[in-house]
């Protein structure tokens, strides 16, 4: 019976060649593949074990969690293909949540009624530049088209009232 592999069952070497993640090529406490390294480590907080997931190219783990004891109740259970796949999926989800959270911190919007009863959306996008932190306010019409933009301080607090003031020309540009 032939074994099939999909893209999630592969790892890439230094020159970008794809190779299947093969259990026989892995160590019981260290698995590499799919852009991740899983390493079983001694849990510093108790007598148990932990597993850390480190994204390729990163020096610090993205995820550290408890790891199961083996049958002898003192050594860790060895990593296997199923556990590694689950760890990779979990680590990818953690990174996706971090990206989503970062986006939420840097982007806000409110919808306000303007003169004549029309509703417009005002977006605030923070630019966390180390040398020149600032934010950009964008007015969008009902169709989502950009009406105008202006630069404001990075700590600008977007509320319905501050958006109304800006729309009326009462907020100085940064």
């Amino acid at each position: 019976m032939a074994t099939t592999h999909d893209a999630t069952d592969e790892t890439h070497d230094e020159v970008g060649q794809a190779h299947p993640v093969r259990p026989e090529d892995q160590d019981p406490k260290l698995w590499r593949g799919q852009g991740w390294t899983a390493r079983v480590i001694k849990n510093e907080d108790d007598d148990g074990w932990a597993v850390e997931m480190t994204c390729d190219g990163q020096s610090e783990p993205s995820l550290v969690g408890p790891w199961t004891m083996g049958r002898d109740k003192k050594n860790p259970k060895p990593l296997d293909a199923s556990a590694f796949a689950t760890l990779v999926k979990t680590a990818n989800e953690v990174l996706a949540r971090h990206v989503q959270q970062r986006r939420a911190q840097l982007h806000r919007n409110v919808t306000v009624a303007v003169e004549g009863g029309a509703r417009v959306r005002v977006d605030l996008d923070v630019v966390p530049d180390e040398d020149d932190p600032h934010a950009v306010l964008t007015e969008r019409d009902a169709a989502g088209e950009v009406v105008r933009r202006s630069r404001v301080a990075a700590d600008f607090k977007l509320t319905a009232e501050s958006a109304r003031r800006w729309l009326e020309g009462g907020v100085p540009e940064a």
Side-chain angles (χ1 to χ4, degrees):
M1 172 186 240
T3 304
T4 60
H5 295 280
D6 63 23
T8 61
D9 294 333
E10 294 180 344
T11 189
H12 296 83
D13 62 17
E14 295 80 29
V15 293
Q17 294 284 343
H19 302 283
V21 175
R22 298 170 13 141
E24 59 270 20
D25 294 339
Q26 305 291 343
D27 182 274
K29 290 185 183 178
L30 179 73
W31 275 54
R32 288 192 172 99
Q34 303 172 43
W36 290 95
T37 298
R39 181 185 324 271
V40 177
I41 58 173
K42 189 76 175 129
N43 188 342
E44 297 173 10
D45 295 335
D46 64 21
D47 292 334
W49 295 89
V51 63
E52 62 182 21
M53 292 295 290
T54 307
C55 189
D56 288 354
Q58 299 295 314
S59 58
E60 296 292 319
S62 300
L63 176 70
V64 178
W67 189 244
T68 309
M69 295 284 236
R71 289 181 183 233
D72 65 3
K73 301 294 183 207
K74 65 180 181 179
N75 291 310
K77 178 180 170 187
L79 285 164
D80 60 25
S82 175
F84 183 71
T86 300
L87 289 166
V88 166
K89 180 180 178 203
T90 302
N92 282 326
E93 289 170 353
V94 166
L95 286 186
R97 281 194 301 274
H98 283 290
V99 167
Q100 184 179 22
Q101 180 182 17
R102 180 74 171 155
R103 169 101 173 110
Q105 289 175 334
L106 299 176
H107 177 82
R108 299 253 193 279
N109 67 60
V110 296
T111 302
V112 295
V114 292
E115 216 173 285
R119 299 188 66 72
V120 297
R121 190 177 87 200
V122 177
D123 295 336
L124 174 71
D125 291 292
V126 178
V127 180
D129 187 302
E130 285 185 28
D131 298 325
D132 184 24
H134 62 280
V136 176
L137 280 173
T138 305
E139 176 186 357
R140 296 180 186 276
D141 62 18
E145 297 296 319
V146 174
V147 176
R148 72 174 160 153
R149 282 196 163 110
S150 71
R151 180 181 165 127
V152 294
D155 62 351
F156 183 86
K157 301 291 183 223
L158 182 64
T159 64
E161 185 56 37
S162 67
R164 243 187 241 94
R165 274 196 317 273
W166 174 70
L167 290 167
E168 294 167 358
V171 176
E173 291 197 15

